[in-house]
Each structure stands twice: as C-alpha cells, then as structure tokens.
Amino acid sequence: MHDFALNDTADVDPRTEVSMKADEPRVAVLIPCFNEEVAISSVIHAFQSTLPDATIYVFDNNSTDDTATIARQAGAVVRHEPLQGKGYVVRRMFRDIEADLYVMADGDDTYDAALAPAMIHRARTGPFDLVNCIRRQTDDAAYRDGHRFGNLLLTGAVRMIFGDRVEDMLSGYKVLSRRFVKSFPVLSTGFDIETELTVHALELALPIAHVEGAYRPRPPGSVSKLRTWSDGWRILRLIVRLLRHERPLAFFGALAVFAFALALRLAAPLIATYLHTGLVPRLPTAVLATGIVIAGALSLTTGLILDTVTRGRRETRLLAYLHHAPPGDLQTDAPRA
C-alpha cells in the first residue's frame, strides 16, 4: 500500500489509477432471505457502508412478506429461488454470481457487517479460500443454550472425523474465494449447507482462517427459521452421509470390523466344542456366523471399491478448484490453463 502527498496527486498517471482500480477484486455480498422484512434493510445499508464497491445480492426464498420489495428499495440486486431451503438458495447463488470474493451472511442482522473488510483482507493476504466468522455472543438472547450445545456437538463430530481445522462450523458469516465457490458441488437443501461447506474445505485441504466477531440477537419482530431438533438431526444425518461418501473405506471398514467381531463372538463356543468333540451341535448359529462373515467381507470390499471412486471425485473437484487463481491473485478474469 502506497501513501501519496496531496500535492502529488496531479502527477499520477490516470492510467495507473485505472489499473489500480482494475486490480481491486470484485466482491459480491450474498444474502439468502426468507421473511426478513424487519431486518433486511439494515443489513443492506450496513454492507453498503462497509463495502461501498461490492454488489449486494438478496436471494428471496419464497418470502410471504415484503422482504424482496424492501431489499430492492434499499439498493440490493434481488433474485428469487423457488425451491424452499437454504441449500437450494446457496446452490443458485454460487451458480449464477460471478465475483472474485464472496461474502455470505444471513439477512437477520445478527452479524457485524463492519467485520467484512477485515475478513476480505484476511482472505487476500493469506491467501485463504475460506474465512469463517467465529460468533462471539453479545446477548443471552442471541445464542440459545440448545443451539450452542448443538453447534459444539456437531462441530466436534466434524472435527473428529474430517479434521480439526474448523471452529464454529454452523456460522453463517463467511468469506469465500472464487475457486472455492466454483469447485463446490452443492448437494444440501437446508441449513445443513454450512456443514457441507466445511467438509468440502477440509477434504480438499483448502487454506482456512477464522475471525472472531460479535453475534447479536435478532431485532424485535424478527423470528428465527432454525428448528433446533429437526435441523440438528438433519445435520447429524448429513455428517454420517458425508462420512459414507467421503470416507467410504472407514465407514464400510467399521461395519466390516463390527460384523467380524459379532461373528467371532457367535462362533467362538462352536469352535471350542468342535475342537473338543468334533461335532457342531448348533448348526443354525454356525450358518448365521458364516453369513455375518460374508456380509462383513462384502462391506469391506464395497469400502475398497468406493474409496477408489471417491478419490476420483476428489481429484475432479481439486482440478476445478485449481482452474481459478487464488484470492490473493487479482488477475482472476482469465482462468488458469
């Protein structure tokens, strides 16, 4: 960064000014919304103040109130996603919007927009493909005990299975690079999208950074769309599904080990009796144990085959990721060869 004296500005080549402006990254603020008419205007104005050169997109997800109208009046680009669910909205956002850096935030005015420039700076200077905001509670009403416990439980499960480089997995405030967004195959449909985003970064070993920021309660009249138990159960099921998809050898190998252990437990008395008497008195148990061993062998074989398939899928995503320049390189208009 260069400092110029006031009397030197006349000597600056206009082409240099244009070049410096052209080197600035294109920033898109992505705000998924469902019935957020109470808060959306404040969110848009906050990001307009902190990121004056960014384009703010509000994706309305079948709101029954005036969210879309208020967002348009506040100066945002409003688009619509008819399929209900945050995952569908994120899929549409990532597919349609072209930018160098993406700031994703909720439309409920719980996140601090003033933190966005620091997050963008962190993404560019790292460079980092994912900068996640760790929520710091500023009010007891902002973060209910059930949500806090669920977040710790689910984040802990992901850290244990896929890697411990992530904190506050369910935070909805992130800065993402273009190469992250364009290599991410969105499969989730609801609030489990944050889990899928995290696992994508961990599985491809992408550079991740964290910035701590305030987490405020919703403004009066705004209602949370998060359902603690049903959404938590959905996220837990997604973690198991991602374990099966991303780590098939571990998943099916564990089933095989369980099957072999169970079969051994059933067959041990039969083997002892056979060695002592030469007879197999409980033939059905022997047949059952044999069947369980066969099932375990099939599970292990399935894991080995799917592990090869998963490796190919991971390589495909990595190639799509490498097709784009890192966030610190501003020459992002032309993809890499």
Side-chain angles (χ1 to χ4, degrees), residues 15-337:
R15 290 173 298 179
T16 303
E17 290 183 335
V18 172
S19 176
M20 291 172 63
K21 187 68 174 178
D23 280 346
E24 289 300 314
R26 297 169 297 170
V27 177
V29 179
L30 308 179
I31 307 175
C33 277
F34 174 61
N35 289 346
E36 297 289 1
E37 65 176 4
V38 174
I40 189 59
S41 179
S42 299
V43 174
I44 293 171
H45 290 317
F47 279 109
Q48 287 172 338
S49 176
T50 58
L51 299 174
D53 295 325
T55 304
I56 300 175
Y57 296 90
V58 171
F59 278 73
D60 180 63
N61 194 206
N62 299 319
S63 295
T64 56
D65 59 11
D66 293 327
T67 296
T69 301
I70 295 173
R72 192 175 292 109
Q73 293 173 347
V77 178
V78 178
R79 298 190 178 180
H80 300 272
E81 172 51 55
L83 296 176
Q84 194 67 41
K86 187 175 181 179
Y88 289 120
V89 178
V90 172
R91 184 180 307 176
R92 173 63 68 87
M93 292 191 302
F94 286 3
R95 182 181 66 193
D96 293 355
I97 305 304
E98 299 294 330
D100 297 319
L101 289 168
Y102 299 78
V103 180
M104 191 165 71
D106 295 336
D108 54 10
D109 199 23
T110 55
Y111 296 106
D112 186 6
L115 195 62
M119 295 173 68
I120 290 175
H121 178 74
R122 185 86 168 121
R124 293 184 60 189
T125 56
F128 294 101
D129 292 299
L130 168 61
V131 179
N132 190 49
C133 178
I134 302 174
R135 292 171 288 183
R136 185 182 69 249
Q137 183 177 342
T138 59
D139 190 289
D140 291 340
Y143 214 171
R144 289 180 286 175
D145 291 338
H147 291 173
R148 185 185 299 106
F149 174 75
N151 186 27
L152 291 174
L153 177 64
L154 296 170
T155 299
V158 168
R159 286 169 61 90
M160 181 178 65
I161 297 171
F162 298 101
D164 60 356
R165 297 190 301 119
V166 64
E167 300 177 44
D168 198 3
M169 177 185 70
L170 300 183
S171 171
Y173 195 12
K174 308 175 189 296
V175 170
L176 306 166
S177 70
R178 176 181 176 83
R179 60 182 183 174
F180 184 108
V181 166
K182 297 306 180 181
S183 66
F184 176 52
V186 183
L187 300 176
S188 301
T189 59
F191 283 104
D192 45 353
I193 182 64
E194 273 86 11
T195 305
E196 194 177 5
L197 284 165
T198 299
V199 172
H200 176 71
L202 294 174
E203 283 297 280
L204 293 189
L206 306 186
I208 301 173
H210 297 87
V211 174
E212 188 172 309
Y215 186 64
R216 304 184 294 255
R218 283 173 167 267
S222 178
V223 180
S224 174
K225 317 307 183 298
L226 183 64
R227 298 164 297 178
T228 303
W229 292 107
S230 59
D231 286 325
W233 176 244
R234 177 197 292 265
I235 293 170
L236 188 59
R237 284 188 290 127
L238 174 66
I239 292 173
V240 175
R241 192 161 63 247
L242 288 172
L243 174 62
R244 187 183 66 202
H245 290 168
E246 300 295 338
R247 303 286 177 83
L249 184 56
F251 181 84
F252 289 100
L255 293 179
V257 169
F258 175 77
F260 293 151
L262 179 60
L264 182 61
R265 175 68 180 84
L266 293 172
L270 303 181
I271 295 173
T273 302
Y274 175 78
L275 293 176
H276 183 67
T277 65
L279 301 175
V280 182
R282 291 183 291 171
L283 184 60
T285 303
V287 173
L288 176 61
T290 302
I292 293 174
V293 169
I294 293 173
L298 289 174
S299 180
L300 182 60
T301 303
T302 300
L304 290 169
I305 295 172
L306 291 180
D307 187 64
T308 303
V309 175
T310 299
R311 182 181 177 86
R313 290 174 51 246
R314 189 178 296 119
E315 290 174 349
T316 301
R317 283 181 290 164
L318 185 58
L319 288 173
Y321 165 81
L322 294 174
H323 191 63
H324 301 279
D329 183 357
L330 300 181
Q331 304 300 322
T332 56
D333 292 332
R336 292 181 172 183

